[in-house]
């Protein structure tokens, strides 16, 4: 059974949970699979969500905004955006304060299954009664601390405080375990570090994955569905190319902007994915993973005072990267009705003065995919308002519709004058450890990014570039990609079927791409994502990522980039755990 639900004003504060970014509410529509048999909405807000009429579909609203015909600028072949780029004022107005809410940290309430008080002998990291912690100078997250017994062994790992937690309560099993017990505020000036790092936090997803590994190494039976990393080996053709490169002496400094073999292969590959549109290798900069590509773009385009819009829930690193450029991330909440995507109306209302927008499709953490029409509408919006779009298309090949997911590169040149497309081999080619990503940008931006990395990394690992060139350039590798995507699809179907059949009251975003399943847990008596994950890993040995990491702690992210056997065992545990919660 399906139902439509509606926006809530509180989505702003939910999104603000993500990495210190300012947050504002967006609007959108879609349908989520749900049934209220497990839990019905109890709060006023939840009741409103359940009864509100469905909103106008995004498709209708964007179709009203038609692009004016413009002559093509052959963006992809020539640095057609040069003038636009040079002329771009570096003074985007801040969104009006009425539309922005101050950044807020998530303050999870007492966990039903985690009882106790702060131990008088709690660790130094957690020892202050208020204000800032004594060791880190970070503001104390009091609500979270109040819900757990934290012992001396507590450590700070980025946003999450890992502590010894006594799990008790009515349904707890009374065990003591090392768990995330708090999400910390970022580094403050009191840390003694540069203001450059004032918002810096370790990636929560990486922290969780490391914790799952640590538990496994300690002999615990933990299934890790937290990591966003394919479980497949790197296909043999790129792997062999990497080995050959090392044996063949390609072990010296590479070309700083990326070796020509890789840039040419990437240009051809991106061209083929978009029906043969021209893509110029000279506009591509190769970096150490698409994460560095994203950093390069943000650092090149944004600076103090610039507002960068980020649809939320958002991948953990976007707000952090924007902060490192000393610009200001503004999270724009998507709506459950529309797979948590945002519309141009949301963007206009929320960030009228934005200088940039980071759009991820297929999306981590939701698995949602923007349609061609939606991408086009956003590109038109951005062109009209002179907003730079950073299109993170790293999951483009992992798409469960026909062909690769819709891309900005499917649009005509005149819509791409301020668009940078980020791509990489980590996900679809199972090459996370090779650390190769690319950014395709207007010429001046590409040259500026290359200059930037000439002083930071001197380019990406040389043998890895040759491996990536083989991945993108050798057609035979496409069969490996197709095989892996087919496997991801089977796993996605497994997860969706299990949730539909056995947890029909749980809402989730329809996963159309990437390898994530984003489901809602607040129907379990108002449980937060952090509480859900904490109790799940303690009692059932499954590691998932709380939505707090992405700016919305009503949700939890499950990664099905895991062996099918593990996934099946984990699903048994999750279903049993959730059914118990629903009792
Ligand atoms: C949305 C998104 N973008 C970028 C990256 C970075 O990928 P890499 O640096 O491995 O290319 C990730 C990795 O998890 C991601 O999920």
């Amino acid at each position: 059974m399906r139902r439509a639900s509606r926006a809530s004003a509180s989505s702003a504060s939910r999104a603000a949970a993500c990495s210190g970014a300012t947050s504002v509410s967006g609007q959108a529509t879609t349908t989520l699979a749900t049934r209220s048999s497990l839990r019905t909405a109890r709060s006023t807000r939840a009741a409103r969500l359940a009864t509100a009429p469905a909103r106008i579909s995004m498709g209708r609203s964007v179709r009203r905004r038609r692009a004016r015909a413009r002559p093509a600028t052959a963006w992809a072949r020539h640095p057609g955006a040069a003038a636009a780029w040079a002329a771009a004022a570096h003074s985007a107005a801040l969104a009006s304060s009425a539309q922005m809410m101050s950044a807020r940290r998530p303050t999870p309430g007492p966990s039903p299954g985690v009882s106790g008080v702060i131990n008088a002998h709690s660790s130094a990291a957690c020892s202050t009664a208020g204000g800032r912690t004594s060791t880190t100078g970070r503001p104390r997250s009091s609500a979270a601390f109040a819900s757990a017994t934290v012992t001396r062994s507590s450590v700070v790992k980025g946003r999450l405080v890992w502590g010894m937690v006594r799990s008790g309560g009515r349904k707890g099993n009374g065990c003591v375990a090392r768990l995330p017990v708090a999400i910390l505020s970022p580094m403050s000036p009191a840390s003694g570090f540069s203001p450059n790092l004032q918002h810096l936090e370790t990636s929560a997803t990486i922290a969780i994955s490391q914790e799952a590994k640590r538990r496994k190494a300690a002999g615990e039976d933990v299934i890790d569905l937290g990591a966003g990393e394919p479980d497949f080996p790197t296909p043999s053709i790129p792997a062999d190319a990497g080995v050959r490169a090392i044996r063949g002496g390609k072990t010296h400094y590479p070309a700083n902007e990326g070796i020509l073999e890789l840039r040419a292969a990437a240009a051809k590959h991106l061209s083929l994915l978009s029906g043969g549109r021209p893509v110029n290798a000279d506009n591509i900069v190769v970096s150490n993973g698409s994460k560095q590509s994203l950093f390069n773009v943000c650092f090149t385009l944004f600076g103090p005072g610039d507002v960068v819009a980020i649809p939320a829930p958002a991948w953990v690193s976007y707000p952090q990267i924007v902060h490192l450029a000393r610009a200001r991330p503004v999270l724009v909440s998507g709506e459950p009705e529309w797979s948590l995507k945002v519309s141009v109306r949301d963007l206009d209302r929320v960030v009228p003065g934005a200088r940039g927008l980071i759009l991820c499709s297929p999306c981590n953490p939701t698995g949602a995919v923007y349609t061609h029409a939606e991408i086009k509408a956003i590109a038109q919006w951005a062109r009209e308002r002179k907003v730079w779009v950073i299109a993170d298309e790293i999951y483009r090949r992992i798409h469960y519709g026909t062909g690769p997911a819709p891309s900005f590169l499917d649009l005509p040149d005149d819509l791409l004058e301020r668009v940078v497309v980020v791509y990489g081999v980590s996900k679809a080619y199972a090459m996370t450890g090779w650390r190769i990503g690319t950014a395709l940008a207007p010429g001046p931006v590409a040259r500026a990014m290359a200059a930037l990395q000439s002083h930071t990394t001197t380019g990406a690992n040389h043998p890895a570039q040759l491996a990536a060139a083989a991945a993108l350039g050798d057609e035979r590798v496409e069969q490996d990609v197709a095989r892996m995507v087919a496997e991801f699809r089977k796993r996605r179907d497994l997860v969706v079927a299990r949730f539909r059949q056995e947890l029909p009251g749980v809402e989730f975003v329809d996963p159309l791409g990437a390898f994530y399943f984003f489901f809602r847990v607040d129907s379990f008596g108002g449980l937060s994502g952090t509480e859900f994950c904490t109790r799940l890993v303690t009692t059932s040995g499954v590691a998932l990522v709380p939505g707090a990491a992405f700016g919305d702690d009503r949700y939890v992210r499950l990664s099905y980039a895991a062996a099918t056997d593990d996934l099946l065992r984990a699903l048994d545990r999750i279903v049993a755990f959730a059914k118990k919660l629903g009792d």
Side-chain angles (χ1 to χ4, degrees):
M1 192 164 108
R2 284 167 177 260
R3 83 173 172 207
S5 61
R6 188 176 177 173
S8 85
S10 64
S11 53
S13 58
R14 292 192 304 267
C18 191
S19 299
T22 305
S23 167
V24 277
S25 173
Q27 294 178 334
T29 56
T30 194
T31 311
L32 293 179
T34 181
R35 211 175 87 189
S36 55
S37 62
L38 261 188
R39 286 272 176 211
T40 49
R42 289 185 178 162
S43 67
T44 314
R45 184 181 63 74
R48 201 171 64 240
L49 286 174
T51 55
R55 299 186 49 236
I56 304 165
S57 79
M58 171 64 180
R60 276 172 58 190
S61 67
V62 296
R63 277 196 293 275
R64 289 198 205 110
R65 196 185 282 286
R66 290 273 176 226
R68 285 194 302 273
R70 278 198 182 185
T73 55
W75 166 85
R77 271 164 292 153
H78 308 292
W85 181 78
H90 204 68
S91 59
L94 291 175
S96 76
S97 56
Q99 290 165 308
M100 297 175 124
M101 296 182 59
S102 58
R104 272 211 274 143
R105 300 276 93 207
T107 50
S111 165
V114 181
S115 65
V117 293
I118 302 171
N119 191 316
H121 302 290
S122 57
S123 77
C126 311
S127 63
T128 51
R132 299 187 181 285
T133 61
S134 57
T135 49
T136 64
R138 299 169 186 219
R140 189 172 72 85
S141 181
S142 56
F145 278 104
S147 68
T149 300
V150 182
T151 72
R152 278 188 182 283
S153 62
S154 299
V155 291
V156 177
K157 283 199 172 176
R159 304 176 74 201
L160 298 177
V161 177
W162 296 91
M164 299 304 290
V165 173
R166 185 176 307 284
S167 173
R170 197 163 54 88
K171 290 178 184 151
N173 64 0
C175 63
V176 174
R178 191 161 168 271
L179 293 168
V181 294
I183 294 181
L184 288 181
S185 293
M187 291 184 193
S188 70
S191 64
F193 296 129
S194 157
N196 289 342
L197 304 190
Q198 63 184 310
H199 296 282
L200 189 64
E201 304 166 356
T202 303
S203 160
T205 49
I206 290 176
I208 285 159
S209 165
Q210 282 173 349
E211 178 62 12
K213 283 193 183 112
R214 189 200 64 75
R215 282 163 171 265
K216 270 198 249 178
E220 283 182 46
D221 176 19
V222 172
I223 306 167
D224 181 10
L225 300 186
E229 175 164 38
D231 56 312
F232 304 112
T234 297
S236 59
I237 289 173
D240 291 347
V243 171
R244 265 200 317 278
I246 295 171
R247 295 266 177 241
K250 302 285 186 190
T251 50
H252 299 100
Y253 286 130
N256 166 63
E257 68 279 16
I259 59 171
L260 187 57
E261 293 97 309
L262 175 53
R263 287 186 295 113
K268 189 170 167 208
H269 174 84
L270 292 173
S271 168
L272 287 173
L273 290 186
S274 287
R277 68 120 58 236
V279 174
N280 185 358
D282 291 344
N283 291 45
I284 291 179
V285 178
V286 177
S287 298
N288 292 283
S290 66
K291 195 179 270 190
Q292 195 206 348
S293 303
L294 288 160
F295 175 84
N296 284 347
V297 186
C298 290
F299 209 76
T300 299
L301 292 175
F302 311 131
D306 289 337
V307 166
V308 180
I310 304 174
W315 182 50
V316 286
S317 292
Y318 297 143
Q320 289 286 314
I321 289 172
V322 172
H323 275 310
L324 287 172
R326 299 243 196 148
R328 184 172 179 187
V330 176
L331 300 186
V332 183
S333 294
E335 281 305 322
E337 296 164 347
W338 194 40
S339 292
L340 297 167
K341 294 188 281 186
V342 300
S343 69
V344 285
R345 257 181 312 155
D346 303 328
L347 295 169
D348 237 354
R349 191 171 46 79
V350 168
V351 279
R355 179 172 164 80
L357 165 72
I358 304 181
L359 196 83
C360 183
S361 180
C363 178
N364 176 7
T366 63
V369 175
Y370 282 78
T371 65
H372 178 75
E374 290 159 1
I375 287 175
K376 189 172 177 191
I378 288 172
Q380 286 167 340
W381 170 86
R383 182 183 62 183
E384 284 163 20
R385 285 153 190 76
K386 299 194 178 346
V387 172
W388 282 99
V389 177
I390 299 170
D392 184 349
E393 300 188 353
I394 186 153
Y395 293 101
R396 187 170 176 206
R397 297 301 314 286
I398 307 174
H399 179 230
Y400 307 119
T402 313
S407 161
F408 277 81
L409 291 177
D410 299 334
L411 301 176
D413 285 359
D414 65 314
L415 286 176
L416 300 180
E417 290 182 356
R418 288 170 183 271
V419 175
V420 179
V421 176
V422 171
Y423 194 68
V425 292
S426 283
K427 310 293 182 177
Y429 296 86
M431 293 180 71
T432 44
W434 297 79
R435 309 307 305 128
I436 295 294
T438 61
L440 171 64
V445 182
R447 288 192 286 280
M449 291 193 298
L452 172 63
Q453 76 176 21
S454 77
H455 297 294
T456 53
T457 62
T458 318
N461 177 301
H462 198 162
Q465 289 198 51
L466 283 148
L472 297 178
D474 191 320
E475 282 171 19
R476 289 170 297 169
V477 184
E478 288 311 302
Q479 288 162 21
D480 295 308
V481 173
R483 185 178 41 78
M484 290 188 277
V485 173
E487 191 57 39
F488 288 138
R489 179 198 291 268
K490 274 192 212 153
R491 295 173 188 176
R492 177 204 64 159
D493 292 347
L494 265 177
V495 177
V496 169
R498 275 309 274 282
F499 269 71
R500 286 217 172 111
Q501 283 157 20
E502 302 198 50
L503 301 172
V506 175
E507 291 185 6
F508 57 85
V509 176
D510 267 340
L512 301 179
F515 35 61
Y516 304 111
F517 182 76
F518 204 56
F519 64 99
R520 203 164 160 169
V521 296
D522 56 343
S523 58
F524 296 112
L527 212 61
S528 71
T530 303
E531 289 162 345
F532 184 94
C533 292
T534 300
R535 293 175 66 180
L536 178 68
V537 76
T538 320
T539 61
S540 310
V542 179
L544 303 179
V545 183
F550 311 104
D552 192 337
D553 210 19
R554 295 172 303 169
Y555 289 84
V556 164
R557 189 192 80 176
L558 177 158
S559 164
Y560 49 88
T564 305
D565 282 353
D566 286 345
L567 189 61
L568 288 171
R569 282 194 307 130
L571 282 170
D572 288 344
R573 295 181 190 187
I574 293 167
V575 166
F577 172 79
K579 279 186 171 165
K580 244 177 146 184
L581 283 178
D583 284 346

